[in-house]
Amino acid sequence: MAMEKTSNKQVNLFYCLECEEVARKVAAQSDHITLQSIKWRSFADGFPNIYIQNAEELRGQHVAFLASFSSPALVFEQLSVIYALPRLFVASFTLVLPFFTTGSFERKEEEGDVAAAFTLARMLLNIPVSRGGPTSLVIYDIHALQERFYFGDEVLPLFETGIPLLKQRLHQLPDADNIVIAFPDDGAWKRFHKLFDNFPVLVCTKVREGDKRIVRLKEGNPAGHHVVIVDDLVQSGGTLIECQKVLAANGAAKVSAYVTHGVFPKQSYERFTHKDEGTNAFTYFWITDSCPLTVKAISNKAPFEVLSLAGSIANALQI
């Protein structure tokens, strides 16, 4: 006997200031999502003075918060809200944290290294239980798959991916039948290759030569193809640039890139912007809006295109 599909729940969506544009896009996806507001203020000493609007009206309601931990200074004020919302007698609480910011700091290579990814996970594990049970935590393309085990039974992590957005965009390209997916290293291949069953793939690898790490083509043939490099995030972009050089040297007709999280510290996205005709290494560079500050910075700058997570987030809020 098939299970009956439950009707959509009405979700009250709060958001940090950085995520306002994304939150509005999420709300536009469904009549079952209502935007709610928070007064983000500070005392004279700089500590947060926050007020949640319509708090009493949230009793018995489904509540979600869209967060962005783009800098350590913002984490404390958002955690203050995240810890407060489930205690308002809400029916359920969902935290949407598209980018798990400390995800790349998960390893201890020697005694004394601090795995900040585990620290952030422990902070999220202390979110109070709402009347409906543990918090649902939505994260996109977390950097290391083993980090899912950082979350115990105190929260219910839902790991989503932005790859369907990329695949949808690739099918719209005029050369869609000539696309090859490239992974910059074995880690990216392990993460994503099963999501590209219908695409030819190739893999690059990093080898150490003296004090340098050199990118080499490990397997596959890019000759004549539009090659799209896929990874979960970009920081300085050095690996992507070296990978592009190797692919072009091996005959790739075009090279583009996709990352879910365009971090780009210190305006490193400038390394990829089209300066003049004829010297542009990347045809397209796709990112999602998981890092809102980057989205504002690269607006209308070729080769960048933003693939919004709004529809995916709206769907996740109904799970």
Side-chain angles (χ1 to χ4, degrees):
M1 181 177 177
M3 294 181 64
E4 289 187 17
K5 187 176 180 181
T6 57
S7 59
N8 287 340
K9 58 187 178 185
Q10 193 70 34
V11 179
N12 295 273
L13 178 60
F14 292 87
Y15 53 90
C16 67
L17 289 174
E18 200 173 288
C19 288
E20 181 174 358
E21 185 175 343
V22 181
R24 293 192 181 282
K25 289 181 179 179
V26 173
Q29 299 288 321
S30 171
D31 293 335
H32 299 280
I33 299 173
T34 303
L35 283 187
Q36 300 289 355
S37 58
I38 294 171
K39 288 186 178 179
W40 300 93
R41 304 167 299 191
S42 297
F43 291 108
D45 59 4
F47 276 87
N49 175 19
I50 300 167
Y51 181 74
I52 299 171
Q53 308 266 41
N54 306 318
E56 290 190 5
E57 297 177 15
L58 297 176
R59 293 175 180 176
Q61 302 291 313
H62 299 286
V63 172
F65 182 78
L66 178 59
S68 176
F69 291 173
S70 59
S71 72
L74 297 177
V75 175
F76 180 76
E77 67 178 28
Q78 290 182 63
L79 279 177
S80 299
V81 171
I82 292 165
Y83 286 3
L85 285 171
R87 299 178 66 89
L88 295 175
F89 293 92
V90 300
S92 69
F93 179 62
T94 301
L95 171 60
V96 182
L97 182 63
F99 178 36
F100 188 74
T101 45
T102 59
S104 56
F105 308 105
E106 86 287 2
R107 285 174 292 194
K108 291 183 66 171
E109 296 185 354
E110 61 179 311
E111 198 62 38
D113 285 341
V114 176
F118 185 51
T119 304
L120 181 55
R122 291 173 74 181
M123 294 164 78
L124 298 178
L125 286 172
N126 283 289
I127 299 173
V129 175
S130 71
R131 290 178 65 187
T135 292
S136 299
L137 172 62
V138 183
I139 296 175
Y140 284 81
D141 291 318
I142 197 165
H143 180 66
L145 292 178
Q146 68 267 23
E147 289 171 359
R148 67 180 58 220
F149 302 113
Y150 289 174
F151 302 96
D153 296 335
E154 294 87 347
V155 299
L156 300 175
L158 175 62
F159 296 105
E160 295 281 25
T161 179
I163 296 299
L165 298 172
L166 170 65
K167 291 166 72 173
Q168 182 179 19
R169 182 67 182 96
L170 293 180
H171 287 304
Q172 296 169 352
L173 296 178
D175 57 352
D177 57 351
N178 194 37
I179 299 292
V180 172
I181 301 299
F183 302 108
D185 52 39
D186 288 329
W189 178 84
K190 290 176 183 176
R191 285 290 312 282
F192 296 119
H193 79 277
K194 290 184 179 179
L195 300 176
F196 291 99
D197 285 344
N198 296 324
F199 289 86
V201 300
L202 55 86
V203 184
C204 294
T205 188
K206 299 173 188 173
V207 296
R208 188 173 294 279
E209 291 186 359
D211 295 332
K212 295 182 179 179
R213 297 187 74 186
I214 309 296
V215 175
R216 294 248 178 93
L217 183 60
K218 180 180 178 181
E219 60 183 77
N221 181 14
H225 294 288
H226 182 177
V227 183
V228 180
I229 307 169
V230 173
D231 210 349
D232 63 315
L233 62 83
V234 59
Q235 297 267 4
S236 69
T239 298
L240 291 179
I241 289 172
E242 293 305 311
C243 192
Q244 183 276 333
K245 291 177 181 177
V246 169
L247 296 170
N250 281 273
K254 298 178 187 175
V255 179
S256 296
Y258 165 86
V259 296
T260 302
H261 312 297
V263 186
F264 291 121
K266 299 180 181 178
Q267 298 180 316
S268 55
Y269 58 84
E270 292 285 1
R271 304 175 70 181
F272 297 90
T273 54
H274 288 179
K275 304 298 191 296
D276 52 70
E277 293 298 323
T279 61
N280 303 313
F282 287 84
T283 304
Y284 297 98
F285 199 129
W286 293 287
I287 65 172
T288 75
D289 43 9
S290 68
C291 300
L293 295 181
T294 298
V295 170
K296 290 182 180 179
I298 58 93
S299 177
N300 298 318
K301 288 187 170 78
F304 290 102
E305 285 187 11
V306 178
L307 308 176
S308 181
L309 295 171
S312 178
I313 292 173
N315 291 336
L317 293 179
Q318 291 297 331
I319 294 175

